[in-house]
Amino acid sequence: MAEKLAMVKEDPIIVIEGITKTFGNVEALRGVSLTVNKGEVVIIIGPSGSGKSTLLRCINRLEEFSSGRIVVDGITLDGAKNINAVRTEVGMVFQQFNLFPHLTVRKNIELAQKVVRKRSTAESEKVAMELLEKVGIPEKANAFPHQLSGGQQQRVAIARALAMNPKIMLFDEPTSALDPEMIQEVLDVMVGLAKEGMTMVVVSHEMGFARAAAHRVIFMDSGQIMEMGTPDQLFTHPSQDRTKLFLSKVL
Amino acid sequence: MAGISFPEEQKQEELVRTKLDSPGAGFDRWWLLVVGVVVTIAILYFTIPDPYGRAVNFVWDGIGVSIGVTVSSFIVTVFVGLMGGLGRLSKNKIIQGIATLYVEVVRGIPLMVQLFFWYFAFPAIIQSFGKQIHYEPFTKYFADPYFTAIMGLTICYGAYMSEIYRAGIQSIGKGQVEAARSLGMSQFEAMRYVILPQAIRVVLPPMGNEFISLLKDSSLVSVVAVADLTRRGREFMAQTATPIETWTIVALMYLVMTILSARIVGWLERITKLQER
C-alpha cells in the first residue's frame, strides 16, 4: 500500500530545532530536532514517558518548551502573540476526543469556524455537513457526543479539526481510548487524509497504519529521537537495540 | 453508551418533559408542606384576628422588602461571583491575589459585622476623607439603608459565589480548554463558548442554595434600618408585647418563602439535567 502514498518533496513546513522541556526536574524532551515536509506523514512511536506526546503538544504550543525553536509554516513559535495564528493552521486530535458535550455534533464542528474563522452560519453548516459526509456519519449531525460510540466521536473530532482548513494535523494517540472494533474506522479516515496529501504528525502504535500511510517512522525514548526511517526500515531492520527491544514488545 | 440510539433518547426526553409540565405534576410532600404552612397562617389570621391577624397585616409590607433586597442582591451577586471566580482562576498573579484576598477576608467576617461596617464605619471614613480633600458631597455622605443592605449582602455573598463558580469551572476537564485552544480560540473565547456553558449547569444547584441562604440572611439587614420582614416583626412586638404570636407569624412567612424557593431550585435543576442529556 505504501506505494500509493505521494512522494514528498523537500519543502519543510515544521522545523523543530533542539527543543528541550522540563517538568520540575524531569526532562521530558532533551534536545529534539525534526523537520517535517509538506504532505509528509510522520508517525512517532516509543514507550510511555518517552516524550512523544509532549513533542506533539509543543508543535501547537499546548505545551511550552524550555529552550530551542519551532517554526511552523514560516511562523516562529516564541512570543505569545502568534500562538493563535499557528493554532488555526494546525489541527489537533486528542486521545480522549474532547468533543464539546453541550453541543450537537454539527455545532461542535461549526463553533470554531464561526468564532475563529468568522464564517457565516450557513457557510459553517455547509462545511460541517461536508466533513461529516467525509468521515461517514452525516446522520449523526444532530446527535450529542455522548450518544455516539468512541469511534464515531473520534471521527467527529477529526472533522472538527479539519473544518478550520489546517495545513497540518496532529494526532495524539487517536485510537488508544477506543474499543478494538472501532479502531479501523478511525484509521480509515486517517489513511484517507494521508493519501490526500495532508501533512500529519501522529503519535500512535498502530503498526498497520504506519505501514499503510507513513512516510517516516520515528522512535523516541527518554526524551530523544533514537532512530528514524521508512516504516520498512524501522520495523524490519531497526539499527538500535532499544528500538528492537521496544518493537519486540509491541509487535 | 453505544447501545442507546438517538430517537429512543429523544422519546425518553419527551416523556420526562410531559411529566414535568402536566398539571399536578410533582404534587408531593413539598407542596403539602407549603399548603400546610399557608393554611396555618390563614387559620391563625381568621380565627384569632387579634393579634395574629393584626400581625400579618402589620408585617405584610416587610415581605416585599425582604424579597426585593434578596433578589436585587442575588442578581448583582451572580455577576460579582463570576468576576471573583474568574479572578481566582486567573493566571495573572495580581488579579488572582486580589480575588483571593477578597474571598478570604469576606468569608472570615460575620455578615452582621460586615453590615455594621458598611452602615456605620464606611460613611464615617468617607466623611473624614471628604474633610481632608475639602470635597463637600463626601463630607455630607450618609449611608442609605437599602443601598447599604444590598451592597453588604452582595459583597458577602459574592465571595461565596466566587467559590461556587471556581469549583464549577474547575470541574470542566482540562481537555475542553485544550480542544478549544487547539482550534485557535482565545482564552476568552474558550471560556465564553466552551467552559462557561458547561460550568453553568454544575453551578446552578449550589447557586440556588445560595439564594435560599441569602433570603434567610437578609433578615440581618433589619439591624441597618431596613424595614424588612424581621424589622417589621420587631416593631410589632414592641408595640403589642406579643412575642409568641409575632415570631410565629414571621417564622411561618419565611418558611413559605424558603420552601417555595427550594421548589423552584429543584425544578431548575431538573430542567438543566434534561438539557444535559
Side-chain angles (χ1 to χ4, degrees):
Chain A
M1 274 174 99
E3 62 275 6
K4 284 188 189 164
L5 276 174
M7 290 296 288
V8 175
K9 278 180 282 179
E10 193 76 17
D11 184 8
I13 188 163
I14 307 173
V15 180
I16 301 172
E17 287 171 3
I19 63 161
T20 65
K21 165 78 189 176
T22 47
F23 294 105
N25 40 22
V26 180
E27 276 188 278
L29 294 175
R30 301 196 282 184
V32 173
S33 296
L34 174 68
T35 302
V36 179
N37 291 311
K38 216 167 262 180
E40 193 179 12
V41 178
V42 175
I43 311 262
I44 307 175
I45 60 171
S48 74
S50 58
K52 49 196 195 311
S53 284
T54 310
L55 176 64
L56 198 70
R57 291 159 61 85
C58 281
I59 297 174
N60 71 346
R61 257 318 250 304
L62 280 182
E63 213 77 73
E64 284 181 31
F65 42 91
S66 313
S67 67
R69 198 166 80 110
I70 298 183
V71 183
V72 177
D73 194 29
I75 305 166
T76 307
L77 290 179
D78 42 19
K81 277 180 189 161
N82 48 24
I83 288 179
N84 286 340
V86 167
R87 281 179 180 150
T88 50
E89 307 304 331
V90 182
M92 179 137 186
V93 174
F94 301 87
Q95 184 177 354
Q96 297 297 341
F97 330 131
N98 293 348
L99 292 179
F100 306 136
H102 61 299
L103 300 175
T104 61
V105 163
R106 192 164 52 90
K107 295 253 166 67
N108 258 277
I109 306 174
E110 287 175 14
L111 180 64
Q113 296 189 60
K114 290 190 212 166
V115 173
V116 180
R117 289 275 191 230
K118 311 286 178 213
R119 287 182 191 151
S120 69
T121 306
E123 197 189 346
S124 2
E125 194 179 323
K126 191 170 149 269
V127 173
M129 288 316 293
E130 280 169 8
L131 286 167
L132 281 174
E133 205 79 53
K134 181 173 178 160
V135 299
I137 37 174
E139 74 278 7
K140 296 290 184 189
N142 294 315
F144 281 92
H146 70 97
Q147 294 165 326
L148 306 185
S149 71
Q152 291 171 332
Q153 289 193 46
Q154 193 61 298
R155 285 189 277 161
V156 173
I158 294 172
R160 181 176 68 177
L162 289 176
M164 304 302 287
N165 304 110
K167 293 179 178 157
I168 300 160
M169 285 284 283
L170 308 177
F171 295 81
D172 190 2
E173 307 209 26
T175 56
S176 302
L178 297 177
D179 290 338
E181 74 269 24
M182 291 163 188
I183 290 176
Q184 200 52 48
E185 63 188 56
V186 172
L187 292 181
D188 287 346
V189 171
M190 290 169 65
V191 171
L193 270 180
K195 295 210 166 128
E196 285 170 22
M198 173 67 79
T199 308
M200 292 162 66
V201 183
V202 184
V203 171
S204 173
H205 290 151
E206 295 295 331
M207 302 303 170
F209 171 70
R211 284 183 189 277
H215 294 94
R216 241 192 314 167
V217 179
I218 290 171
F219 173 68
M220 280 185 76
D221 195 10
S222 51
Q224 285 170 308
I225 292 177
M226 302 301 290
E227 187 170 358
M228 72 174 116
T230 64
D232 234 24
Q233 276 173 7
L234 200 111
F235 291 146
T236 46
H237 311 291
S239 63
Q240 305 271 332
D241 285 342
R242 276 209 258 181
T243 319
K244 283 177 197 159
L245 187 69
F246 175 74
L247 289 173
S248 72
K249 283 178 188 159
V250 294
L251 282 179
Chain B
M1 186 166 62
I4 307 162
S5 74
F6 183 43
E8 264 174 27
E9 187 93 7
Q10 215 169 22
K11 233 183 272 165
Q12 266 182 356
E13 200 168 308
E14 275 162 24
L15 237 166
V16 187
R17 199 158 273 166
T18 31
K19 222 175 164 185
L20 265 180
D21 288 349
S22 62
F27 193 90
D28 50 22
R29 56 209 169 86
W30 279 93
W31 282 115
L32 278 179
L33 192 54
V34 176
V35 171
V37 177
V38 172
V39 166
T40 309
I41 296 174
I43 289 173
L44 290 172
Y45 184 88
F46 289 114
T47 56
I48 318 171
D50 193 23
Y52 282 112
R54 274 177 60 207
V56 172
N57 289 336
F58 190 87
V59 302
W60 192 252
D61 53 2
I63 292 179
V65 172
S66 284
I67 292 174
V69 167
T70 304
V71 171
S72 332
S73 316
F74 186 74
I75 290 169
V76 190
T77 299
V78 167
F79 292 102
V80 172
L82 179 59
M83 293 301 122
L86 291 175
R88 289 273 271 165
L89 294 168
S90 173
K91 282 192 188 114
N92 183 324
K93 286 274 181 276
I94 296 167
I95 294 174
Q96 198 208 348
I98 292 170
T100 307
L101 188 70
Y102 161 61
V103 169
E104 295 302 332
V105 166
V106 165
R107 289 202 308 176
I109 300 169
L111 176 54
M112 201 193 281
V113 175
Q114 289 184 41
L115 287 170
F116 280 141
F117 182 88
W118 295 120
Y119 191 63
F120 297 111
F122 183 65
I125 293 167
I126 296 285
Q127 284 163 16
S128 66
F129 181 62
K131 272 173 206 146
Q132 278 185 1
I133 60 166
H134 304 291
Y135 185 60
E136 200 163 328
F138 276 12
T139 57
K140 288 180 180 162
Y141 179 82
F142 280 100
D144 173 71
Y146 287 89
F147 177 76
T148 308
I150 291 168
M151 181 177 79
L153 288 175
T154 300
I155 288 172
C156 180
Y157 269 77
Y160 291 96
M161 206 69 101
S162 301
E163 289 300 275
I164 291 174
Y165 272 110
R166 184 174 68 104
I169 291 168
Q170 279 178 329
S171 75
I172 307 304
K174 201 172 157 241
Q176 291 290 311
V177 187
E178 289 189 348
R181 300 285 275 150
S182 75
L183 288 165
M185 287 189 216
S186 67
Q187 194 84 44
F188 173 80
E189 287 162 345
M191 189 54 82
R192 160 78 183 73
Y193 296 103
V194 176
I195 306 305
L196 284 182
Q198 296 180 58
I200 203 75
R201 282 157 209 198
V202 183
V203 158
L204 217 52
M207 238 183 188
N209 293 332
E210 286 299 288
F211 180 81
I212 295 166
S213 299
L214 182 58
L215 179 60
K216 289 186 285 181
D217 277 351
S218 77
S219 66
L220 289 173
V221 303
S222 61
V223 301
V224 292
V226 174
D228 75 326
L229 181 53
T230 305
R231 190 177 182 89
R232 293 298 279 163
R234 265 167 54 195
E235 287 168 6
F236 185 73
M237 181 181 71
Q239 282 179 21
T240 59
T242 51
I244 300 172
E245 294 85 349
T246 308
W247 297 113
T248 303
I249 284 296
V250 170
L252 287 173
M253 284 178 161
Y254 272 115
L255 197 54
V256 173
M257 292 194 284
T258 50
I259 294 170
L260 276 178
S261 309
R263 193 68 204 166
I264 294 167
V265 169
W267 177 74
L268 277 175
E269 252 171 71
R270 264 176 299 161
I271 293 293
T272 45
K273 276 213 184 100
L274 272 184
Q275 282 177 349
E276 221 166 312
R277 305 175 115 257

